[in-house]
């Protein structure tokens, strides 16, 4: 058993602290006079605080011996010197060293009690008015309140990040609110784990059939299934699932569901004579998207005279010859308010889109281009020669301190300024994001949606692109002809074969698609290491940075977790002078390829060339660790042409990206792709996973593994069913007002 030690003392200096998650680095003056470095979660730590810390000693690669605090007990400062330092540390706006000293001289050991409970006494000091006294008291109460709340949450095994939104909503009554109903922590504003909250509530003595527990369990099932892509759940699925979760009779669950419906926290509807249930946010999104698209499709087509001649002129201008389907798509884009353009690789989507953009330019229409991810937007820019942005940047996503949520500046009140919006990789767009796009779209503008419905659906809930295509409500052109040049590529031909349920050609050795049979997991990993480290760079001139390794799964012997460790070992091994930072099971090292794993709208970045700056690094963005700075406790990462600094406490948002899942690769294109085809769950070994992986490769695609797995993936065309009502709603009649 690892030995734990207890330290007593006070905070001599705060080297670093992260306000969001409480991680801090402090210089700690122990009672025997020795000053040591302490790291750990010490929320809102301030100079002069007295702490009792339980933890262990470790040795840091750059800073030597330091104490990792795991449990802490806090006391406010007691000596005059400590109290003065604490009050002057910045916890109270407008209080510097002199004012802090006057407070402590005037009130002595009662100083903190005066600040919290008798602020009127502060007016006895020169320069402090009644208004100023009340402001100082409120600020002190907030600091103390949040700190007590964080300690309370940590004591019960709950995430301390919940404290700030809790305090924002409930103020001084936050702790009482949690004790009265701990299940409120599972609500969207706080996002605590249901299992953690349930354990905490049971410890407090809540009964298994408490109505608050029942309602929280129902909401948890609906929220959890958003992660499976479902915008709603049928009642005959929701009630049994909640019954199992809570181990309660169905009648008890049904009664809780009735109460949630009465409160408006769950929306009931009927589709195809089946009772279904939504969270309000998703019901509103689905009905809004259906209504807005119906209205767009009701606008009559506008015949464009001489359009055929215009297309002829563009052909001549660009030295091209458009196929009939391409001309059809170009005409549809000009003549309709909303158009869908689909097709697999090699069918001329990019060429068609280029022609469409040229037609728009000839009409003087302002056209904006966007894609779901940064890499997809960059690729769209390269392919069209026109600037494209991510959808989030286009809509000016921003984090609201008031609500604690991400919001879009562009909406009905501040719509986009454009005539046409083109969205690429639309299969990746989920329901909520589509609602945001449509809310920001001016009423008379056009919308061109480009994508491949045979690729994986969106990570978020809904099945927008597929639902819209299958509804047949909007004009859609599917490009089917594989052009002669594309037929020379085995990547293209094998992608279409896989999509059609046919085994790809695996025995050709002089093209751009290769299969390397390996019968053991370790042999798969070793071969992938060799390909990335030496074989492709030396024999095909493809550098390691231009190779992306994919796997269907994170787990197993050939999943991304194991592959990332193996690839880091050969592509970026530890060497003298190269700094690294241990975090969890991984070591982040200078030179590593890393990926952001969630949308973070607050990370500040600047262009590497210094031309501009902004905020926001998004899920799936790939970067390279340029520098690890132990003094600042930061990692500097370059994402393409943007540079951002990450505090060490933010490393939970990063993972190594030498290998990634096929799902994470959506919307991106890589010079070379190497895929492990060896093992995985049946849910992930599917045809559209393999098809999506192949279509990520630009010049070279290599499968490493077993033919049996490839055959199983092609045979497994059972795409996971998503409960989505959009297709049916698009087919419903609407009134002019609806």
């Amino acid at each position: 058993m690892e030995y734990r030690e207890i330290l007593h003392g006070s905070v001599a200096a705060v080297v670093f602290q992260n306000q969001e998650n409480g991680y801090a680095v402090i210089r700690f003056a122990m009672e025997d006079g020795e000053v040591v470095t302490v790291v750990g979660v010490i929320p809102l730590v301030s100079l002069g605080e007295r702490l009792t810390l339980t933890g262990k000693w470790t040795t840091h690669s750059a800073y030597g011996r330091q104490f990792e605090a795991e449990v802490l007990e806090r006391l406010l400062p007691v000596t005059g010197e400590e109290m003065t330092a604490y009050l002057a540390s910045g916890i109270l706006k407008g209080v510097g060293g002199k004012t802090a000293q006057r407070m402590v001289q005037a009130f002595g050991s009662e100083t903190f009690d005066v600040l919290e409970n008798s602020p009127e006494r502060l007016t006895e000091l020169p320069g402090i008015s009644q208004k100023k006294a009340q402001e100082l008291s409120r600020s002190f109460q907030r600091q103390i309140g949040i700190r007590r709340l964080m300690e309370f949450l940590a004591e019960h095994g709950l995430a301390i990040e919940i404290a700030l939104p809790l305090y924002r909503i409930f103020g001084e009554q936050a702790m009482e609110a949690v004790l009265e109903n701990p299940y409120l922590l599972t609500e969207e504003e706080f996002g605590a784990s249901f299992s953690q909250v349930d354990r905490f509530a049971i410890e407090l003595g809540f009964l298994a059939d408490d109505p608050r527990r029942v309602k929280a369990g129902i909401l948890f099932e609906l929220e959890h299934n958003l992660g499976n892509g479902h915008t709603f759940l049928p009642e005959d699925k929701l009630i049994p699932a909640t019954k199992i979760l809570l181990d309660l009779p169905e009648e008890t669950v049904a009664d809780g569901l009735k109460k949630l419906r009465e409160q408006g926290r769950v929306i009931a509807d009927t589709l195809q004579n089946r009772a279904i249930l939504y969270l309000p946010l998703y019901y509103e999104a689905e009905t809004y998207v259906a209504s807005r698209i119906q209205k767009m499709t009701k606008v009559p087509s506008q015949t464009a005279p001489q359009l055929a001649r215009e297309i002829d002129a563009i052909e001549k201008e660009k030295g091209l010859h458009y196929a009939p389907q391409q001309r059809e798509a170009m005409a549809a884009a000009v003549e309709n308010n909303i158009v869908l353009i689909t097709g697999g690789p090699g069918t001329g989507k990019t060429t068609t889109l280029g022609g469409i953009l040229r037609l728009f330019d000839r009409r003087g229409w302002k056209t904006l281009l966007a894609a779901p991810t940064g890499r997809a937007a960059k690729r769209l820019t390269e392919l069209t020669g026109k600037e494209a942005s991510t959808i989030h940047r286009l809509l000016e996503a921003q984090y609201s301190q008031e609500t604690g949520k991400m919001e879009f500046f562009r909406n009905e009140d501040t719509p986009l300024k454009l005539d046409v919006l083109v969205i690429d990789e639309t299969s990746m767009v989920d329901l909520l994001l589509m609602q945001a796009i449509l809310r920001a779209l001016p009423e008379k503008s056009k919308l061109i949606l480009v994508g491949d419905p045979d690729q994986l659906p969106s990570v978020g809930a809904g099945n927008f692109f597929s639902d819209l295509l299958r509804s047949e409500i909007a004009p859609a052109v599917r490009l089917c002809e594989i052009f002669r040049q594309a037929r020379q590529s085995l990547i293209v031909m094998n992608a279409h074969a896989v999509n059609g349920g046919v085994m790809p050609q695996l025995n050709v050795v002089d093209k751009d698609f290769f299969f390397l049979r390996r019968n053991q997991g370790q042999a798969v990993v070793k071969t992938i290491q060799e390909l990335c480290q030496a074989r492709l760079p030396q024999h095909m001139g493809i550098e390691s940075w231009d190779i992306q390794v994919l796997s269907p799964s994170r787990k197993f012997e050939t999943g991304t977790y194991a592959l990332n460790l193996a690839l880091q070992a050969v592509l970026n091994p530890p060497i003298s002078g190269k700094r690294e930072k241990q975090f969890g099971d991984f070591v982040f090292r200078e030179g590593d390829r890393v990926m952001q794993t969630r949308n973070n709208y607050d990370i500040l970045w600047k262009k590497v060339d210094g031309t501009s700056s902004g905020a926001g690094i998004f899920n799936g963005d790939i970067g390279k660790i340029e520098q690890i700075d132990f003094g600042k406790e930061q990692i500097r990462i370059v994402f393409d042409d943007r540079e951002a600094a990450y505090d060490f406490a933010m490393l939970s948002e990063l993972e190594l990206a030498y290998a990634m899942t096929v799902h994470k690769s959506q919307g991106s294109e890589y010079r070379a792709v190497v895929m492990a085809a060896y093992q995985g769950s049946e849910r992930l070994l599917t045809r559209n996973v393999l098809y999506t992986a192949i279509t990520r490769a630009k010049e070279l695609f290599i499968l490493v593994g077993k033919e049996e797995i490839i055959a199983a993936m092609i045979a497994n065309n059972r795409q996971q069913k998503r409960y989505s009502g959009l297709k049916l709603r698009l087919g419903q009649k609407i009134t002019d007002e609806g």
Side-chain angles (χ1 to χ4, degrees):
M1 186 174 180
E2 200 167 11
Y3 177 69
R4 295 291 185 271
E5 193 170 332
I6 299 174
L7 305 185
H8 302 277
S10 62
V11 180
V14 179
V15 178
F16 167 82
Q17 64 175 325
N18 183 298
Q19 299 292 343
E20 185 178 336
N21 59 22
Y23 180 84
V25 180
I26 63 173
R27 295 289 289 163
F28 188 66
M30 297 196 295
E31 291 181 335
D32 63 3
E34 184 183 359
V35 179
V36 299
T37 298
V38 173
V39 299
V41 177
I42 314 173
L44 300 177
V45 64
S46 296
L47 195 65
E49 274 193 275
R50 299 184 69 81
L51 305 175
T52 297
L53 303 170
T54 303
K56 61 185 178 182
W57 290 101
T58 61
T59 301
H60 192 284
S61 58
Y63 293 105
R65 192 167 181 254
Q66 60 184 25
F67 190 79
E68 287 189 4
E70 296 170 353
V71 180
L72 71 147
E73 181 183 350
R74 310 174 76 147
L75 297 169
L76 287 171
V78 291
T79 70
E81 185 179 348
E82 289 174 347
M83 292 171 73
T84 301
Y86 178 69
L87 291 173
S89 66
I91 67 159
L92 298 179
K93 188 177 179 182
V95 174
K98 290 184 178 179
T99 304
Q101 193 173 30
R102 284 199 296 267
M103 280 186 189
V104 174
Q105 287 174 347
F107 306 116
S109 61
E110 296 182 339
T111 301
F112 296 137
D113 183 61
V114 168
L115 272 166
E116 188 170 6
N117 302 308
S118 306
E120 65 280 355
R121 292 184 60 189
L122 294 173
T123 59
E124 299 170 16
L125 301 177
I128 298 184
S129 64
Q130 186 69 33
K131 181 181 177 183
K132 179 69 172 178
Q134 294 298 327
E135 287 174 355
L136 291 174
S137 180
R138 282 194 295 270
S139 179
F140 184 78
Q141 288 170 359
R142 183 176 187 276
Q143 290 285 331
I144 296 299
I146 293 175
R147 193 178 72 171
R148 287 171 181 161
L149 190 55
M150 284 180 167
E151 291 166 0
F152 168 76
L153 293 169
E155 182 184 344
H156 293 284
L158 299 166
I160 64 166
E161 296 96 309
I162 301 169
L164 292 178
L166 260 178
Y167 197 87
R168 185 177 61 245
I169 293 171
F170 296 105
E172 289 294 321
Q173 284 70 50
M175 203 178 302
E176 288 76 8
V178 171
L179 290 169
E180 183 182 338
N181 179 17
Y183 291 102
L184 67 83
L185 295 176
T186 63
E187 294 175 8
E188 185 188 3
E189 291 88 343
F190 315 114
S193 157
F194 179 83
S195 59
Q196 287 183 341
V197 172
D198 200 36
R199 184 179 63 247
F200 171 49
I202 298 301
E203 287 173 4
L204 291 178
F206 277 69
L207 299 176
D209 62 352
D210 188 293
R212 290 164 292 189
R213 180 173 186 260
V214 177
K215 288 189 286 186
I218 294 167
L219 293 172
F220 168 77
E221 283 293 343
L222 285 170
E223 287 160 2
H224 173 74
N225 277 283
L226 295 173
N228 295 324
H230 306 310
T231 59
F232 68 80
L233 285 182
E235 186 173 320
D236 57 16
K237 297 284 186 184
L238 176 60
I239 290 178
T242 311
K243 170 193 172 184
I244 293 170
L245 173 73
L246 301 177
D247 193 20
L248 290 172
E250 285 194 5
E251 297 76 19
T252 306
V253 176
D255 187 54
L257 180 58
K258 181 182 177 183
K259 291 186 173 76
L260 285 170
R261 290 175 58 180
E262 290 169 353
Q263 294 169 356
R265 298 174 70 191
V266 169
I267 305 295
D269 203 351
T270 303
L271 283 177
Q272 290 187 319
N273 299 317
R274 194 175 190 185
I276 60 176
L277 297 151
Y278 290 83
L279 292 169
L281 183 67
Y282 286 84
Y283 178 78
E284 178 190 340
E286 194 170 275
T287 52
Y288 177 88
V289 169
S291 174
R292 182 70 195 275
I293 287 177
Q294 282 180 318
K295 287 178 180 177
M296 293 180 76
T297 60
K298 286 177 71 176
V299 177
S301 296
Q302 302 295 317
T303 303
Q306 308 298 317
L307 186 55
R309 290 186 182 179
E310 280 191 81
I311 296 174
D312 292 341
I314 295 172
E315 281 185 325
K316 188 174 181 180
E317 176 186 307
K318 293 183 173 288
L320 298 169
H321 176 70
Y322 294 117
Q325 284 180 330
Q326 292 179 303
R327 295 176 72 97
E328 179 190 349
M330 293 168 70
V334 170
E335 294 176 345
N336 296 279
N337 257 25
I338 178 170
V339 173
L340 286 70
I341 300 173
T342 76
T347 58
K349 286 201 304 291
T350 302
T351 303
T352 304
L353 182 55
I356 289 170
L357 295 175
R358 185 70 189 97
L359 285 171
F360 293 165
D361 287 345
R362 289 168 72 104
R363 282 160 173 72
W365 292 345
K366 182 178 180 181
T367 305
L368 296 182
L369 283 69
T373 67
R375 294 184 72 86
K378 183 182 178 185
R379 177 169 167 256
L380 185 58
T381 299
E382 292 167 351
L383 292 173
T384 63
K386 289 183 175 289
E387 186 66 30
S389 72
T390 64
I391 295 170
H392 285 81
R393 286 201 181 93
L394 179 75
L395 301 181
E396 298 180 45
Q398 50 201 356
Y399 181 81
S400 169
Q401 294 290 346
E402 278 187 26
T403 64
K405 298 178 184 178
M406 185 271 295
E407 296 176 350
F408 293 109
F409 174 73
R410 295 293 173 185
N411 53 34
E412 299 95 337
D413 298 325
T414 52
L416 295 164
K417 295 177 181 178
L418 51 74
D419 298 303
V420 187
L421 176 61
V422 176
I423 303 289
D424 195 19
E425 298 285 355
T426 311
S427 63
M428 296 178 65
V429 177
D430 63 34
L431 182 68
L432 292 184
L433 188 54
M434 196 62 225
Q435 180 193 28
I437 291 167
L438 292 172
R439 287 185 63 200
L441 199 64
E443 195 168 327
K444 294 184 179 179
S445 59
K446 290 178 175 289
L447 179 62
I448 311 297
L449 302 172
V450 184
D452 185 346
D454 296 318
Q455 290 184 22
L456 293 167
S458 61
V459 174
N463 205 12
F464 167 74
F465 195 51
S466 179
D467 282 350
L468 182 54
L469 270 171
R470 291 184 297 116
S471 75
E472 298 183 351
I473 190 175
V477 180
R478 180 155 196 152
L479 304 173
C480 301
E481 180 183 347
I482 304 173
F483 288 91
R484 185 173 59 187
Q485 186 177 354
R487 289 196 202 107
Q488 307 306 308
S489 167
L490 261 187
I491 291 174
V492 171
M493 300 310 292
N494 279 341
H496 284 278
V498 167
N499 199 33
V502 177
M503 195 74 171
Q505 295 183 52
L506 300 178
N507 55 356
V508 179
V509 294
D510 61 348
K511 290 270 190 173
D512 54 7
F513 188 110
F514 298 90
F515 170 67
L516 302 176
R517 181 175 180 85
R518 298 293 183 270
N519 294 321
Q520 295 182 335
Q522 283 305 306
V524 171
V525 174
K526 187 172 187 299
T527 299
I528 291 174
Q529 284 179 307
E530 292 169 351
L531 286 167
C532 296
Q533 182 187 18
R535 290 168 65 176
L536 296 185
Q538 291 173 12
H539 301 300
M540 302 197 73
I542 301 176
E543 295 303 319
S544 300
W545 190 262
D546 294 323
I547 304 166
Q548 183 58 58
V549 174
L550 300 180
S551 175
S553 173
R554 294 178 63 88
K555 302 176 183 177
F556 303 109
E557 201 173 6
T558 58
T560 59
Y561 179 88
L563 284 168
N564 269 316
L565 290 175
L567 289 166
Q568 184 191 42
V570 296
L571 297 179
N572 192 30
I575 59 174
S576 177
K578 184 177 282 190
R579 285 164 289 194
E580 58 184 44
K581 168 65 180 172
Q582 176 86 35
F583 187 84
D585 296 333
F586 287 102
V587 170
F588 291 106
R589 188 172 295 133
E590 289 176 340
D592 272 337
R593 179 178 184 150
V594 292
M595 176 170 56
Q596 174 75 11
T597 59
R598 73 178 184 89
N599 291 338
N600 188 324
Y601 304 92
D602 295 329
I603 297 178
L604 299 176
W605 54 261
K606 61 181 179 181
K607 285 286 184 74
V608 174
D609 61 10
T611 56
S612 63
S613 60
I617 301 293
F618 301 107
N619 188 4
D621 284 354
I622 303 289
K624 180 180 180 182
I625 296 178
E626 293 291 340
Q627 182 188 41
I628 298 177
D629 188 327
F630 288 105
K632 295 180 180 178
E633 297 275 332
Q634 286 183 337
I635 293 182
R636 182 166 59 85
I637 303 173
V638 173
F639 296 88
D640 292 326
D641 59 348
R642 294 170 296 143
E643 181 182 293
Y646 280 63
D647 296 333
F648 283 178
M650 297 164 62
L651 294 182
S652 61
E653 298 184 16
L654 292 172
E655 61 184 37
L656 294 176
Y658 299 102
M660 69 174 71
T661 62
V662 178
H663 284 79
K664 284 286 188 183
S665 73
Q666 278 182 276
S668 299
E669 189 177 62
Y670 309 96
R671 192 175 171 197
V673 170
V674 178
M675 180 178 171
Y678 182 75
Q679 60 192 153
S681 67
E682 185 181 2
R683 184 175 61 85
L684 294 172
L685 296 179
T686 65
R687 184 185 301 177
N688 64 347
V689 166
L690 180 56
Y691 173 73
T692 301
I694 296 170
T695 56
R696 300 307 91 206
K698 188 175 182 181
E699 295 180 22
L700 179 68
F701 183 80
I702 301 178
L703 278 167
V704 183
K706 299 194 290 187
E707 292 105 320
E708 305 93 283
I709 294 295
I710 299 167
M713 294 181 79
I714 293 168
N716 183 7
N717 196 32
R718 292 172 294 174
Q719 297 182 18
Q720 183 186 11
K721 180 180 179 182
R722 291 189 168 198
Y723 289 117
S724 165
L726 183 62
K727 176 178 174 289
L728 292 171
R729 294 186 191 283
L730 287 168
Q732 293 175 345
K733 290 183 178 180
I734 61 167
T735 64
D736 290 337
E737 293 77 25

